[in-house]
Amino acid sequence: MSFSPDSPLVRDVVASPNRGARVGDSLDMLILHYTGMPTAQGALERLCDPSAEVSAHYFVFEDGRIVQMVPEADRAWHAGAAAWAGTRDINSRSIGIEIAHPGHAGGLPPYPEAQIAAVTRLARDIVVRRAIPAPRVLAHSDVAPARKEDPGENFPWERLAQEGVGHWVPPAPVRDGRFLAMGETGQPVEALQAMLALYGYAQPVTGQFDAATGAVVTAFQRHFRPARIDGVADSSTITTLRDLIAAQPV
């Protein structure tokens, strides 16, 4: 089951049996996760456990050591039920990186510097080799907002963007003012939903700010406006979303 690593940054290969063939020939997404488990070793073992039915292409330890678990040519089982920009088989279109981290359940501690440096180098290597567009470097919470929170609001997306990985604009300052929240209806909600869908989120345009819309807004904030994570579409959230759409590569 051993294989040659795809990236020169890989220290070890720990092959996971949890893999399959990709469907289609498009590989144009990179999805970042945290493991959400107390220990890195426990997470690595779970990703190799056939009964768990989960895996990822890469695993990054706290000290920056990079392990490859699934060849990039194969479909790893990291995204689960997910969607982005009309694609629902995210696993077939993406490469997944698991970052050893206890997650929200473990208090969401800061990511170690060595780990972030390694994730940045690995992600840059992947997006360059695979020509992955910047707006398609995403959080697990972006593609599964109702289920997932990872890699969390303290993940340094701005730093990755400065290194050429992912899409980013400076978040608009958080200020008081008009906002959209749970239970609201009408054209302003439709406009918000349409903007979220245009950027790529699986957001139906219903004109009703329901729990699903709140989950998408929360996911957006975790990635792009982490100063306040409340699922309320305030002017900062909406302005940041507008600026991201305007800054998308043509």
Side-chain angles (χ1 to χ4, degrees), residues 143-163:
V143 299
R147 300 188 302 112
K148 296 295 180 179
E149 300 175 302
D150 56 311
E153 53 268 29
N154 67 347
F155 185 79
W157 291 103
E158 181 177 9
R159 174 172 167 178
L160 265 69
Q162 291 170 347
E163 297 291 335

PDB file of all heavy atoms in Angstrom, residues 143-163:
ATOM      1  N   VAL A 143     -17.401  24.513   2.961  1.00  0.00           N
ATOM      2  CA  VAL A 143     -18.103  23.562   2.094  1.00  0.00           C
ATOM      3  C   VAL A 143     -19.132  22.732   2.856  1.00  0.00           C
ATOM      4  O   VAL A 143     -19.963  22.056   2.231  1.00  0.00           O
ATOM      5  CB  VAL A 143     -17.102  22.641   1.358  1.00  0.00           C
ATOM      6  CG1 VAL A 143     -16.184  23.467   0.470  1.00  0.00           C
ATOM      7  CG2 VAL A 143     -16.286  21.777   2.310  1.00  0.00           C
ATOM      8  N   ALA A 144     -19.106  22.787   4.179  1.00  0.00           N
ATOM      9  CA  ALA A 144     -20.096  22.064   5.000  1.00  0.00           C
ATOM     10  C   ALA A 144     -20.490  22.932   6.191  1.00  0.00           C
ATOM     11  O   ALA A 144     -20.274  22.556   7.346  1.00  0.00           O
ATOM     12  CB  ALA A 144     -19.529  20.718   5.457  1.00  0.00           C
ATOM     13  N   PRO A 145     -21.081  24.104   5.947  1.00  0.00           N
ATOM     14  CA  PRO A 145     -21.297  25.077   7.032  1.00  0.00           C
ATOM     15  C   PRO A 145     -22.256  24.615   8.115  1.00  0.00           C
ATOM     16  O   PRO A 145     -22.156  25.074   9.257  1.00  0.00           O
ATOM     17  CB  PRO A 145     -21.840  26.303   6.298  1.00  0.00           C
ATOM     18  CG  PRO A 145     -22.383  25.789   5.011  1.00  0.00           C
ATOM     19  CD  PRO A 145     -21.512  24.632   4.640  1.00  0.00           C
ATOM     20  N   ALA A 146     -23.189  23.743   7.797  1.00  0.00           N
ATOM     21  CA  ALA A 146     -24.140  23.296   8.807  1.00  0.00           C
ATOM     22  C   ALA A 146     -23.542  22.239   9.733  1.00  0.00           C
ATOM     23  O   ALA A 146     -24.078  21.986  10.820  1.00  0.00           O
ATOM     24  CB  ALA A 146     -25.394  22.730   8.139  1.00  0.00           C
ATOM     25  N   ARG A 147     -22.416  21.646   9.317  1.00  0.00           N
ATOM     26  CA  ARG A 147     -21.841  20.530  10.085  1.00  0.00           C
ATOM     27  C   ARG A 147     -20.492  20.836  10.707  1.00  0.00           C
ATOM     28  O   ARG A 147     -20.137  20.251  11.727  1.00  0.00           O
ATOM     29  CB  ARG A 147     -21.647  19.300   9.183  1.00  0.00           C
ATOM     30  CG  ARG A 147     -22.878  18.747   8.540  1.00  0.00           C
ATOM     31  CD  ARG A 147     -22.578  17.418   7.838  1.00  0.00           C
ATOM     32  NE  ARG A 147     -21.534  17.521   6.821  1.00  0.00           N
ATOM     33  CZ  ARG A 147     -20.336  16.964   6.904  1.00  0.00           C
ATOM     34  NH1 ARG A 147     -19.990  16.270   7.984  1.00  0.00           N
ATOM     35  NH2 ARG A 147     -19.459  17.111   5.936  1.00  0.00           N
ATOM     36  N   LYS A 148     -19.716  21.715  10.080  1.00  0.00           N
ATOM     37  CA  LYS A 148     -18.313  21.823  10.450  1.00  0.00           C
ATOM     38  C   LYS A 148     -17.922  23.239  10.836  1.00  0.00           C
ATOM     39  O   LYS A 148     -18.486  24.220  10.355  1.00  0.00           O
ATOM     40  CB  LYS A 148     -17.435  21.331   9.292  1.00  0.00           C
ATOM     41  CG  LYS A 148     -17.631  19.842   8.972  1.00  0.00           C
ATOM     42  CD  LYS A 148     -17.186  18.973  10.139  1.00  0.00           C
ATOM     43  CE  LYS A 148     -17.359  17.497   9.841  1.00  0.00           C
ATOM     44  NZ  LYS A 148     -16.895  16.649  10.969  1.00  0.00           N
ATOM     45  N   GLU A 149     -16.881  23.328  11.689  1.00  0.00           N
ATOM     46  CA  GLU A 149     -16.357  24.615  12.151  1.00  0.00           C
ATOM     47  C   GLU A 149     -14.876  24.783  11.794  1.00  0.00           C
ATOM     48  O   GLU A 149     -14.307  25.847  12.029  1.00  0.00           O
ATOM     49  CB  GLU A 149     -16.490  24.727  13.671  1.00  0.00           C
ATOM     50  CG  GLU A 149     -17.903  24.628  14.195  1.00  0.00           C
ATOM     51  CD  GLU A 149     -17.952  24.621  15.706  1.00  0.00           C
ATOM     52  OE1 GLU A 149     -17.325  23.727  16.325  1.00  0.00           O
ATOM     53  OE2 GLU A 149     -18.595  25.517  16.282  1.00  0.00           O
ATOM     54  N   ASP A 150     -14.246  23.742  11.282  1.00  0.00           N
ATOM     55  CA  ASP A 150     -12.799  23.748  11.101  1.00  0.00           C
ATOM     56  C   ASP A 150     -12.368  24.360   9.763  1.00  0.00           C
ATOM     57  O   ASP A 150     -13.126  24.344   8.806  1.00  0.00           O
ATOM     58  CB  ASP A 150     -12.253  22.318  11.228  1.00  0.00           C
ATOM     59  CG  ASP A 150     -12.902  21.308  10.278  1.00  0.00           C
ATOM     60  OD1 ASP A 150     -14.138  21.263  10.207  1.00  0.00           O
ATOM     61  OD2 ASP A 150     -12.156  20.572   9.607  1.00  0.00           O
ATOM     62  N   PRO A 151     -11.142  24.914   9.754  1.00  0.00           N
ATOM     63  CA  PRO A 151     -10.123  24.909  10.818  1.00  0.00           C
ATOM     64  C   PRO A 151     -10.273  26.010  11.864  1.00  0.00           C
ATOM     65  O   PRO A 151      -9.386  26.198  12.691  1.00  0.00           O
ATOM     66  CB  PRO A 151      -8.820  25.093  10.031  1.00  0.00           C
ATOM     67  CG  PRO A 151      -9.200  25.930   8.875  1.00  0.00           C
ATOM     68  CD  PRO A 151     -10.587  25.456   8.490  1.00  0.00           C
ATOM     69  N   GLY A 152     -11.379  26.733  11.847  1.00  0.00           N
ATOM     70  CA  GLY A 152     -11.671  27.670  12.926  1.00  0.00           C
ATOM     71  C   GLY A 152     -11.242  29.093  12.665  1.00  0.00           C
ATOM     72  O   GLY A 152     -10.450  29.385  11.779  1.00  0.00           O
ATOM     73  N   GLU A 153     -11.796  29.980  13.485  1.00  0.00           N
ATOM     74  CA  GLU A 153     -11.601  31.410  13.278  1.00  0.00           C
ATOM     75  C   GLU A 153     -10.216  31.918  13.651  1.00  0.00           C
ATOM     76  O   GLU A 153      -9.863  33.057  13.326  1.00  0.00           O
ATOM     77  CB  GLU A 153     -12.660  32.210  14.040  1.00  0.00           C
ATOM     78  CG  GLU A 153     -12.766  31.887  15.510  1.00  0.00           C
ATOM     79  CD  GLU A 153     -13.793  30.805  15.810  1.00  0.00           C
ATOM     80  OE1 GLU A 153     -14.040  29.928  14.946  1.00  0.00           O
ATOM     81  OE2 GLU A 153     -14.352  30.836  16.922  1.00  0.00           O
ATOM     82  N   ASN A 154      -9.406  31.098  14.322  1.00  0.00           N
ATOM     83  CA  ASN A 154      -8.042  31.547  14.607  1.00  0.00           C
ATOM     84  C   ASN A 154      -7.030  30.992  13.611  1.00  0.00           C
ATOM     85  O   ASN A 154      -5.819  31.164  13.791  1.00  0.00           O
ATOM     86  CB  ASN A 154      -7.629  31.225  16.047  1.00  0.00           C
ATOM     87  CG  ASN A 154      -7.507  29.735  16.304  1.00  0.00           C
ATOM     88  OD1 ASN A 154      -7.955  28.921  15.509  1.00  0.00           O
ATOM     89  ND2 ASN A 154      -6.918  29.370  17.426  1.00  0.00           N
ATOM     90  N   PHE A 155      -7.516  30.344  12.559  1.00  0.00           N
ATOM     91  CA  PHE A 155      -6.591  29.911  11.515  1.00  0.00           C
ATOM     92  C   PHE A 155      -6.178  31.136  10.694  1.00  0.00           C
ATOM     93  O   PHE A 155      -7.037  31.936  10.284  1.00  0.00           O
ATOM     94  CB  PHE A 155      -7.239  28.864  10.607  1.00  0.00           C
ATOM     95  CG  PHE A 155      -6.280  28.310   9.592  1.00  0.00           C
ATOM     96  CD1 PHE A 155      -5.364  27.345   9.950  1.00  0.00           C
ATOM     97  CD2 PHE A 155      -6.277  28.788   8.293  1.00  0.00           C
ATOM     98  CE1 PHE A 155      -4.448  26.846   9.021  1.00  0.00           C
ATOM     99  CE2 PHE A 155      -5.374  28.303   7.362  1.00  0.00           C
ATOM    100  CZ  PHE A 155      -4.456  27.335   7.729  1.00  0.00           C
ATOM    101  N   PRO A 156      -4.895  31.326  10.412  1.00  0.00           N
ATOM    102  CA  PRO A 156      -4.424  32.579   9.809  1.00  0.00           C
ATOM    103  C   PRO A 156      -4.540  32.622   8.286  1.00  0.00           C
ATOM    104  O   PRO A 156      -3.554  32.592   7.552  1.00  0.00           O
ATOM    105  CB  PRO A 156      -2.957  32.631  10.252  1.00  0.00           C
ATOM    106  CG  PRO A 156      -2.538  31.199  10.339  1.00  0.00           C
ATOM    107  CD  PRO A 156      -3.762  30.474  10.850  1.00  0.00           C
ATOM    108  N   TRP A 157      -5.752  32.752   7.797  1.00  0.00           N
ATOM    109  CA  TRP A 157      -5.975  32.798   6.349  1.00  0.00           C
ATOM    110  C   TRP A 157      -5.265  33.979   5.694  1.00  0.00           C
ATOM    111  O   TRP A 157      -4.773  33.867   4.560  1.00  0.00           O
ATOM    112  CB  TRP A 157      -7.473  32.884   6.062  1.00  0.00           C
ATOM    113  CG  TRP A 157      -8.229  31.649   6.402  1.00  0.00           C
ATOM    114  CD1 TRP A 157      -9.025  31.435   7.487  1.00  0.00           C
ATOM    115  CD2 TRP A 157      -8.261  30.428   5.637  1.00  0.00           C
ATOM    116  NE1 TRP A 157      -9.562  30.171   7.451  1.00  0.00           N
ATOM    117  CE2 TRP A 157      -9.117  29.535   6.339  1.00  0.00           C
ATOM    118  CE3 TRP A 157      -7.676  30.018   4.450  1.00  0.00           C
ATOM    119  CZ2 TRP A 157      -9.379  28.246   5.867  1.00  0.00           C
ATOM    120  CZ3 TRP A 157      -7.927  28.739   3.983  1.00  0.00           C
ATOM    121  CH2 TRP A 157      -8.773  27.860   4.685  1.00  0.00           C
ATOM    122  N   GLU A 158      -5.206  35.105   6.388  1.00  0.00           N
ATOM    123  CA  GLU A 158      -4.540  36.273   5.807  1.00  0.00           C
ATOM    124  C   GLU A 158      -3.062  35.976   5.551  1.00  0.00           C
ATOM    125  O   GLU A 158      -2.504  36.360   4.516  1.00  0.00           O
ATOM    126  CB  GLU A 158      -4.684  37.478   6.723  1.00  0.00           C
ATOM    127  CG  GLU A 158      -4.033  38.740   6.165  1.00  0.00           C
ATOM    128  CD  GLU A 158      -4.244  39.945   7.051  1.00  0.00           C
ATOM    129  OE1 GLU A 158      -4.743  39.784   8.185  1.00  0.00           O
ATOM    130  OE2 GLU A 158      -3.911  41.058   6.598  1.00  0.00           O
ATOM    131  N   ARG A 159      -2.432  35.300   6.487  1.00  0.00           N
ATOM    132  CA  ARG A 159      -1.016  34.958   6.311  1.00  0.00           C
ATOM    133  C   ARG A 159      -0.822  34.045   5.097  1.00  0.00           C
ATOM    134  O   ARG A 159       0.113  34.250   4.304  1.00  0.00           O
ATOM    135  CB  ARG A 159      -0.495  34.276   7.570  1.00  0.00           C
ATOM    136  CG  ARG A 159       0.923  33.765   7.422  1.00  0.00           C
ATOM    137  CD  ARG A 159       1.478  33.282   8.729  1.00  0.00           C
ATOM    138  NE  ARG A 159       2.703  32.525   8.546  1.00  0.00           N
ATOM    139  CZ  ARG A 159       3.414  32.016   9.541  1.00  0.00           C
ATOM    140  NH1 ARG A 159       3.027  32.218  10.786  1.00  0.00           N
ATOM    141  NH2 ARG A 159       4.517  31.333   9.307  1.00  0.00           N
ATOM    142  N   LEU A 160      -1.683  33.058   4.935  1.00  0.00           N
ATOM    143  CA  LEU A 160      -1.567  32.186   3.763  1.00  0.00           C
ATOM    144  C   LEU A 160      -1.710  32.991   2.482  1.00  0.00           C
ATOM    145  O   LEU A 160      -0.960  32.786   1.513  1.00  0.00           O
ATOM    146  CB  LEU A 160      -2.619  31.078   3.801  1.00  0.00           C
ATOM    147  CG  LEU A 160      -2.152  29.740   4.414  1.00  0.00           C
ATOM    148  CD1 LEU A 160      -1.917  29.888   5.906  1.00  0.00           C
ATOM    149  CD2 LEU A 160      -3.148  28.638   4.127  1.00  0.00           C
ATOM    150  N   ALA A 161      -2.670  33.909   2.464  1.00  0.00           N
ATOM    151  CA  ALA A 161      -2.884  34.714   1.262  1.00  0.00           C
ATOM    152  C   ALA A 161      -1.650  35.559   0.944  1.00  0.00           C
ATOM    153  O   ALA A 161      -1.298  35.753  -0.226  1.00  0.00           O
ATOM    154  CB  ALA A 161      -4.111  35.600   1.434  1.00  0.00           C
ATOM    155  N   GLN A 162      -0.998  36.054   1.978  1.00  0.00           N
ATOM    156  CA  GLN A 162       0.225  36.831   1.755  1.00  0.00           C
ATOM    157  C   GLN A 162       1.328  35.980   1.135  1.00  0.00           C
ATOM    158  O   GLN A 162       2.234  36.511   0.479  1.00  0.00           O
ATOM    159  CB  GLN A 162       0.703  37.429   3.076  1.00  0.00           C
ATOM    160  CG  GLN A 162      -0.199  38.525   3.614  1.00  0.00           C
ATOM    161  CD  GLN A 162       0.138  38.936   5.027  1.00  0.00           C
ATOM    162  OE1 GLN A 162       0.903  38.265   5.733  1.00  0.00           O
ATOM    163  NE2 GLN A 162      -0.437  40.041   5.479  1.00  0.00           N
ATOM    164  N   GLU A 163       1.239  34.664   1.325  1.00  0.00           N
ATOM    165  CA  GLU A 163       2.206  33.736   0.742  1.00  0.00           C
ATOM    166  C   GLU A 163       1.714  33.148  -0.580  1.00  0.00           C
ATOM    167  O   GLU A 163       2.299  32.203  -1.100  1.00  0.00           O
ATOM    168  CB  GLU A 163       2.487  32.608   1.735  1.00  0.00           C
ATOM    169  CG  GLU A 163       3.125  33.055   3.031  1.00  0.00           C
ATOM    170  CD  GLU A 163       4.556  33.531   2.854  1.00  0.00           C
ATOM    171  OE1 GLU A 163       5.209  33.106   1.883  1.00  0.00           O
ATOM    172  OE2 GLU A 163       5.010  34.340   3.686  1.00  0.00           O
TER     173      GLU A 163
END
